[in-house]
Amino acid sequence: MGWVEGLRGLAQRYPALVALLAQLTATALLTVIVLFANYIAHWRFALLTAGLLQGLMAASIGRWLGLSRWWWWLNLAFVPALLAFGGAPLPSWVFLLVFFILLLLNWNSFSERVPLYLTGAQGTQLLADILARQPAPLRFVDLGCGPAGPLLALARQFPEGRFVGVETAPLSYLLAWLRSLFQRNCSIRYQSLWRTDLTEFNVVYCFLSPAPMPQLWQKVCAEMQPGALFVSNTFAVPGVPADRELDLHDWRDSSLLLWRIPG
């Protein structure tokens, strides 16, 4: 259905908006279920039971619309957490703090339409297999590295290479920078991917969203050296078939898309 595909596309660009839609839809469905159950069987849900049911529906709707795994857990827990802590003697600043933590982790979802996507273990292993076949010296950059787990794993596996992560979500950058302090061949830059000079790297990796891919491809073609490798997790360049596509066999049915820069 076209409207479903439209919402799934929206989930890639504005996941917070689709998560809100999932919450509102689940709340509406729960209202119908509660009224129907009360009318037919005079059955009333306990408040926390109703909250858990709403959370499960919101998480399932969000997942169906293409939200990533961490949004599943957030949608699941949101209303039950409000109900559980609603009567607890917690200061209001606790909820404000949680909001700001989520905002700082997912900052790029609003500024650059790039939400936080995390490369899984399968993707990291497949990247390692790819890097093992690249000529030395290896110079690798992760555009939007998040907390930098996969980047650091690769840096440890290839100690002779040079690994750089760029990130502009403040909390993600801070976590990545702290984690990289003791990894000598890895550095983290608080820098927009658009300000990153790609000429110094022979492997460029990203896991972004559909929104920036056309413009990023132009940057890649203008700056990367012939023979260098551009790798995108999941998201294709419109109108430019990948030279290779490697399935990750994960729950997202995602893949690594590889382009070799022509001479």
Side-chain angles (χ1 to χ4, degrees):
M1 290 179 289
W3 65 271
V4 174
E5 293 304 317
L7 286 174
R8 287 174 177 170
L10 190 66
Q12 305 296 337
R13 294 171 170 82
Y14 303 104
L17 182 61
V18 174
L20 176 60
L21 177 62
Q23 288 288 336
L24 294 175
T25 303
T27 301
L29 289 174
L30 178 65
T31 301
V32 172
I33 292 172
V34 169
L35 292 175
F36 185 77
N38 186 49
Y39 179 76
I40 296 297
H42 303 289
W43 183 26
R44 295 185 177 182
F45 287 87
L47 190 60
L48 189 55
T49 300
L52 290 171
L53 179 59
Q54 190 276 350
L56 183 60
M57 289 192 294
S60 300
I61 293 169
R63 187 70 191 95
W64 178 59
L65 292 176
L67 291 176
S68 57
R69 184 184 299 180
W70 80 279
W71 279 105
W72 193 95
W73 290 106
L74 182 60
N75 278 329
L76 176 67
F78 182 70
V79 167
L82 288 180
L83 294 175
F85 293 109
L90 293 176
S92 59
W93 61 262
V94 171
F95 299 98
L96 186 62
L97 177 63
V98 171
F99 172 79
F100 274 109
I101 289 174
L102 293 173
L103 179 64
L104 293 174
L105 280 172
N106 211 43
W107 186 265
N108 295 336
S109 174
F110 302 96
S111 60
E112 296 180 356
R113 295 183 295 171
V114 178
L116 175 63
Y117 287 116
L118 301 177
T119 301
Q122 300 98 320
T124 303
Q125 182 56 55
L126 200 52
L127 278 172
D129 295 340
I130 293 169
L131 296 185
R133 295 190 290 270
Q134 301 308 307
L138 179 60
R139 302 181 304 277
F140 177 95
V141 64
D142 186 345
L143 301 177
C145 65
L151 181 69
L152 289 166
L154 293 171
R156 289 189 290 267
Q157 192 165 343
F158 298 92
E160 301 303 318
R162 183 165 66 90
F163 292 81
V164 174
V166 299
E167 182 58 62
T168 55
L171 186 54
S172 294
Y173 164 77
L174 179 61
L175 292 173
W177 179 77
L178 289 172
R179 297 177 70 186
S180 69
L181 287 178
F182 301 102
Q183 187 65 40
R184 298 183 62 182
N185 65 332
C186 183
S187 61
I188 308 297
R189 302 174 183 175
Y190 188 74
Q191 184 179 61
S192 168
L193 64 90
W194 306 114
R195 294 181 176 272
T196 303
D197 184 2
L198 302 182
T199 58
E200 57 181 303
F201 304 104
N202 51 22
V203 181
V204 173
Y205 172 72
C206 66
F207 191 5
L208 302 173
S209 79
M213 294 307 294
Q215 186 179 353
L216 179 58
W217 177 249
Q218 295 177 7
K219 179 178 175 65
V220 162
C221 292
E223 298 180 12
M224 293 185 69
Q225 301 296 322
L229 188 65
F230 175 55
V231 184
S232 173
N233 192 323
T234 304
F235 303 112
V237 176
V240 184
D243 297 322
R244 294 179 65 194
E245 183 171 353
L246 306 176
D247 290 333
L248 294 178
H249 304 292
D250 61 5
W251 61 275
R252 284 188 295 242
D253 295 323
S254 52
S255 60
L256 295 185
L257 305 169
L258 285 69
W259 291 265
R260 184 72 65 178
I261 305 303

